[in-house]
Amino acid sequence: TEIRDSLRELGIQLTLLNHHVSARLELKDVDLDCLNLVDLNGPLSPSALARRAGLHPATITGILDRLERGGWAARDRDPSDRRAVLVRALPDRNADLMRLYSGISSSMNKLLAGYGDTELELIADFLRRTAHAGRNAADELADD
């Protein structure tokens, strides 16, 4: 129960942090979510991004327009299919993101320094599995 409660609290705190970051960058929360998805998994087609974000493809168009205007992302022709488009994150604005996440990054570095390699491997495995479970749960809800 304590782990589940802590995961809920972590989710809330990360949501609040991302909300503050997106506000400072003059982005909508969903724009930052999509930018993070592209940065972690990209380049992605707009339809793949829509699926991963759980959004309607028409919504993704507006998000990508805003991210492009802000210099956060670009839409390029897919080299394997010139008719298709891939979205990629642009590195030019990474310093803006890193500055805003520097507090949590510094705190995490200090926290993780207190663990040994075996413990870190266990924590990393737990987080990977937790993320996978969350992705599966979101996919199941999206399929309903």
Side-chain angles (χ1 to χ4, degrees):
T1 301
E2 188 175 337
I3 291 172
R4 289 182 182 170
D5 288 348
S6 294
L7 286 171
R8 286 181 67 196
E9 179 66 20
L10 174 62
I12 291 165
Q13 295 309 318
L14 291 176
T15 297
L16 291 171
L17 174 63
N18 286 338
H19 175 72
H20 291 297
V21 167
S22 62
R24 291 276 179 97
L25 297 173
E26 298 179 357
L27 292 172
K28 294 183 178 191
D29 291 355
V30 70
D31 296 355
L32 182 61
D33 292 342
C34 288
L35 179 61
N36 281 325
L37 283 168
V38 170
D39 192 43
L40 284 172
N41 304 291
L44 294 171
S45 70
S47 59
L49 177 58
R51 275 192 307 279
R52 285 182 186 245
L55 298 170
H56 190 277
T59 304
I60 289 293
T61 300
I63 292 167
L64 294 178
D65 289 346
R66 289 190 298 274
L67 290 174
E68 275 190 315
R69 275 194 310 272
W72 295 101
R75 287 179 265 207
D76 301 316
R77 291 281 168 214
D78 183 341
S80 64
D81 180 357
R82 300 293 295 160
R83 296 168 294 163
V85 172
L86 292 176
V87 179
R88 65 183 169 87
L90 296 175
D92 302 354
R93 307 258 343 242
N94 277 350
D96 295 331
L97 275 174
M98 294 304 106
R99 179 179 48 78
L100 294 170
Y101 284 115
S102 66
I104 186 73
S105 182
S106 176
S107 294
M108 290 303 301
N109 288 340
K110 289 176 189 172
L111 177 73
L112 294 172
Y115 293 97
D117 289 344
T118 302
E119 294 167 312
L120 291 171
E121 288 174 19
L122 181 65
I123 293 167
D125 179 61
F126 174 77
L127 291 173
R128 271 191 301 275
R129 290 176 183 220
T130 301
H132 183 75
R135 200 168 22 257
N136 285 344
D139 289 347
E140 286 175 17
L141 288 174
D143 291 340
D144 285 348

